[in-house]
Amino acid sequence: MSTELLAPLDLAFWHLESADHPMHLGALAHFAPPPSGDAATPASGDAATPASGDAATPACGSEEILALLASRASAIPRLRMRVRDVLLPVGGAAWTVDKDFDVRRHLRQVRLPAGDFAVSAATLAGELMERPLERGLPPWEMYLLTGGPGDPFAVLVKLHHALADGMRAVAIGAGIFDEIAGPLAARARKHGHRSGRSPAAVPPRSWLPGPWQVAGMARGRIEELGRAFGVGASLVGASLARAGRLDPRGAAALSAGSSGTRRLATSVLDLDEVHEVRRVAGGTANDVLLATVAGALRRWMTERGDALPPADPSALVPVSRRRPGGPPGSGNKLSAYLLDLPVTEPDPWARLYAVRDRMDRNKAAGPLRGAGAVAVLADQLPPLAHRFGAPLAGNAARMLFDLLATSVPLPRSALSLGGCPLREIYPMAPLARGQSLAVAMSTYGGRVHFGLVADGKALPDVDRLARAVEEELAALLELVR
């Protein structure tokens, strides 16, 4: 078989999309410029697969980097897949190999104007995140952002959420880096030599189960339906409780009407400083980061003259359902916690303890329980329900949470592209209907990179919020030193 059915949750993301709410993930990666005087020519052989540890001349010229991206993206089987409708199950869709795949339709180069490269790259990235991906093609794009000679460069990657969750997106996107592309290409050449065909052309696993799987699937289905019933009950209860405390005066910017515009703001924290706070306060580094987001929101609201909300805004905190050490697999394996960010609490230390206690309660209940596990419920619905119920489900997001706050794991080793080191990488999450802010965080190179995606009209000053993130961590540090 050359097709693979979209899982229910993947199908939900596919149908939740609208012109004003594209459902793609993103990442903006900044790379150091080539050393002065180095030619932008790869060593020899395939530019996409430099030998591991080879001190080849950096290939950081724009034409060479574009060719490198094209070669490496073409070698990733998942990036050759597009979505098509199927007759059965009714309302379903499947991934199928795009027989007319042309990587040049997915890659573009944009030369930025003279000035602050980082600011220009973030501005353009926000604008590019506004644009939905073309649905008749494999749902991804890459943009090479360049400046003048000797300037750094950046790569913007967009992947539809139906294609991957955060962890799977990292596994796919990492294939462009030297440290991963080289070993993968060597293994692919070895595999291709033995099998007589290119690994990129190997079709995905069939979606038809073997007879030995049927009994296990039935047993698992019963367990999943039981979980879904519990999640559904929690979802209704949480929605009713939240409806009773919604106030149009509070967190007005976070609940503003959608304009379809996007702005990206970035912030960077020192990971050692995050752990310094954690060692004193207890909990996890993620607790510290979420408390930092809460404090930043309070600072930002106060400085812009907004009234603090009568109740704390609620954040959806995604949680992976993938097993540690297991294969990345395809599609989405997500649940989530709901976390009331203690914005109304004036004391930074009390905010941190409130976040820690609330997250501890979430973890004790587990990622498969509670209203935050709405993705688990979505995974139990039939395809036809997603096809026709997506608009209703999308509009209901406002009844559950005010913003998204997610952590996206990255490889711990140093990465490079064409010999040019990766310096910064900012993850970006999509905005659901009724939300104006999505906060994504990734740790790389001893620093935590924040990508704040905002509705451009609702939060035109999201850059100020990004600065407040750094100020809030500084305030927490003062309390522990």
Side-chain angles (χ1 to χ4, degrees):
M1 296 290 294
S2 60
T3 60
E4 174 189 339
L5 284 179
L6 269 73
L9 185 53
D10 302 343
L11 197 63
F13 285 127
W14 188 248
H15 290 306
L16 278 171
E17 184 167 74
S18 67
D20 288 343
H21 294 90
M23 292 301 296
H24 49 253
L25 310 169
L28 180 62
H30 286 262
F31 295 87
S36 177
D38 278 341
T41 304
S44 61
D46 182 7
T49 56
S52 177
D54 183 17
T57 301
C60 296
S62 58
E63 293 184 4
E64 288 75 18
I65 289 296
L66 202 62
L68 200 61
L69 290 172
S71 176
R72 290 178 176 175
S74 297
I76 300 173
R78 203 71 190 173
L79 296 185
R80 292 174 170 267
M81 308 294 289
R82 67 178 183 88
V83 176
R84 67 171 179 84
D85 292 335
V86 295
L87 293 176
L88 293 174
V90 178
W95 293 107
T96 185
V97 175
D98 184 0
K99 297 179 180 179
D100 299 319
F101 177 76
D102 184 350
V103 72
R104 293 172 297 180
R105 303 180 71 176
H106 302 264
L107 287 173
R108 297 169 181 83
Q109 179 184 355
V110 181
R111 188 173 295 278
L112 300 178
D116 190 318
F117 181 86
V119 171
S120 297
T123 300
L124 180 60
E127 295 172 358
L128 293 174
M129 288 295 286
E130 296 176 8
R131 307 176 186 177
L133 296 164
E134 188 172 341
R135 293 173 76 87
L137 299 175
W140 65 275
E141 291 176 346
M142 289 186 192
Y143 292 84
L144 173 61
L145 312 182
T146 59
D151 282 348
F153 67 94
V155 175
L156 171 65
V157 180
K158 294 167 56 176
L159 294 173
H160 200 284
H161 213 329
L163 184 67
D165 55 26
M167 289 185 68
R168 179 60 176 161
V170 170
I172 293 173
I176 70 170
F177 294 111
D178 300 340
E179 293 74 13
I180 297 170
L184 285 178
R187 188 159 57 247
R189 286 194 296 269
K190 182 178 180 181
H191 181 274
H193 175 74
R194 289 182 177 179
S195 65
R197 60 178 175 175
S198 169
V202 174
R205 176 175 51 84
S206 170
W207 55 268
L208 292 174
W212 60 90
Q213 296 175 288
V214 173
M217 290 175 63
R219 184 168 53 253
R221 183 65 174 167
I222 293 172
E223 295 174 354
E224 290 171 352
L225 288 174
R227 281 198 299 265
F229 181 81
V231 172
S234 298
L235 188 63
V236 172
S239 298
L240 291 175
R242 182 171 166 78
R245 63 184 179 91
L246 286 178
D247 190 318
R249 297 171 300 168
L254 298 181
S255 58
S258 300
S259 68
T261 60
R262 296 289 182 271
R263 286 181 61 88
L264 170 66
T266 62
S267 185
V268 181
L269 302 182
D270 186 282
L271 184 59
D272 287 340
E273 293 180 344
V274 172
H275 282 297
E276 186 176 347
V277 174
R278 177 195 60 78
R279 283 191 291 271
V280 175
T284 68
N286 200 50
D287 293 341
V288 176
L289 294 175
L290 290 170
T292 301
V293 171
L297 284 169
R298 179 184 174 88
R299 288 172 179 269
W300 172 72
M301 291 177 182
T302 301
E303 290 181 7
R304 74 199 310 256
D306 288 352
L308 291 176
D312 289 329
S314 185
L316 188 74
V317 182
V319 181
S320 176
R321 290 191 286 138
R322 300 183 188 277
R323 294 182 178 179
S330 61
N332 288 267
K333 300 290 184 183
L334 288 173
S335 184
Y337 297 135
L338 285 181
L339 172 67
D340 288 338
L341 294 172
V343 169
T344 57
E345 170 56 58
D347 180 19
W349 204 244
R351 282 197 296 270
L352 177 54
Y353 278 110
V355 166
R356 192 190 71 178
D357 290 345
R358 292 170 188 179
M359 286 299 291
D360 284 347
R361 287 197 295 271
N362 274 327
K363 294 170 186 175
L368 300 181
R369 296 184 179 181
V374 61
V376 178
L377 179 61
D379 230 1
Q380 313 307 317
L381 297 178
L384 203 59
H386 288 302
R387 184 174 291 270
F388 293 106
L392 179 63
N395 291 326
R398 174 71 183 104
M399 297 299 295
L400 274 181
F401 60 97
D402 297 286
L403 70 151
L404 180 75
T406 182
S407 295
V408 182
L410 292 177
R412 295 184 179 181
S413 59
L415 301 171
S416 61
L417 177 61
C420 294
L422 174 67
R423 294 304 188 201
E424 301 170 353
I425 183 164
Y426 299 99
M428 290 174 278
L431 293 181
R433 290 185 182 93
Q435 269 75 51
S436 301
L437 177 66
V439 180
M441 303 166 278
S442 284
T443 299
Y444 174 76
R447 300 194 294 175
V448 184
H449 297 88
F450 281 71
L452 289 76
V453 175
D455 184 283
K457 292 187 177 179
L459 277 71
D461 57 343
V462 67
D463 291 327
R464 179 67 194 93
L465 177 58
R467 291 197 299 273
V469 169
E470 298 172 2
E471 294 168 358
E472 183 64 16
L473 181 61
L476 287 171
L477 282 169
E478 288 181 3
L479 296 176
V480 301
R481 289 177 171 173

